[in-house]
Amino acid sequence: QVQLVESGGGLVQPGGSLRLSCTAPGFKLDLYAIGWFRQAPGTPGKEREAVSCIGPNNITTYYKDSVKGRFTVSRDNAKNTAYLQMDSLRPEDTAVYYCATDLWVGCTKVAGALDHWGPGTQVTVSS
């Protein structure tokens, strides 16, 4: 069973920064793409939206248009951890952020295609 764990969320003022981390205790992530998704408050029926993804070879596959230039995805395979550095945060970035992976699917914007998810970490951008 692959279990992912996110950390690093919190409350930050507009314009601030946070760095999210994603790891998988007992499972090596280095061969798999890691996707970052988010779900905004009040949207429980909507599919989680894709924010970014990084492939196993450390090549970034994509960023959601609204986060380009502000968010940076990376990974450190030696630490078995992926990161999402979020700068210049805006109130509309407020959401629960999830990392996800799949043993058979690479980077995808389709949340339903991925089998393994973390519980999520809350990011709140507010003054």
Side-chain angles (χ1 to χ4, degrees):
Q1 182 75 9
V2 180
Q3 293 185 318
L4 303 179
V5 180
E6 306 94 343
S7 61
L11 172 64
V12 64
Q13 292 186 341
S17 297
L18 286 172
R19 188 177 78 158
L20 306 184
S21 299
C22 171
T23 190
F27 181 80
K28 288 180 63 64
L29 292 171
D30 57 345
L31 297 179
Y32 309 102
I34 305 296
W36 287 96
F37 294 76
R38 68 187 183 187
Q39 187 147 37
T43 62
K46 291 183 64 176
E47 187 173 72
R48 296 168 182 174
E49 65 175 2
V51 176
S52 185
C53 185
I54 188 164
N57 51 5
N58 239 334
I59 297 175
T60 304
T61 298
Y62 68 80
Y63 291 103
K64 179 179 172 61
D65 284 347
S66 64
V67 309
K68 286 179 181 177
R70 301 188 297 122
F71 290 12
T72 305
V73 66
S74 63
R75 66 192 299 161
D76 184 338
N77 287 334
K79 295 183 178 180
N80 204 40
T81 302
Y83 303 97
L84 186 67
Q85 176 68 40
M86 306 187 297
D87 299 318
S88 302
L89 282 161
R90 305 169 180 169
E92 54 264 38
D93 295 317
T94 294
V96 178
Y97 283 71
Y98 302 87
C99 64
T101 193
D102 193 275
L103 303 187
W104 303 104
V105 176
C107 279
T108 176
K109 298 177 184 178
V110 181
L114 301 175
D115 278 345
H116 306 293
W117 292 79
T121 185
Q122 176 71 49
V123 171
T124 302
V125 185
S126 174
S127 55

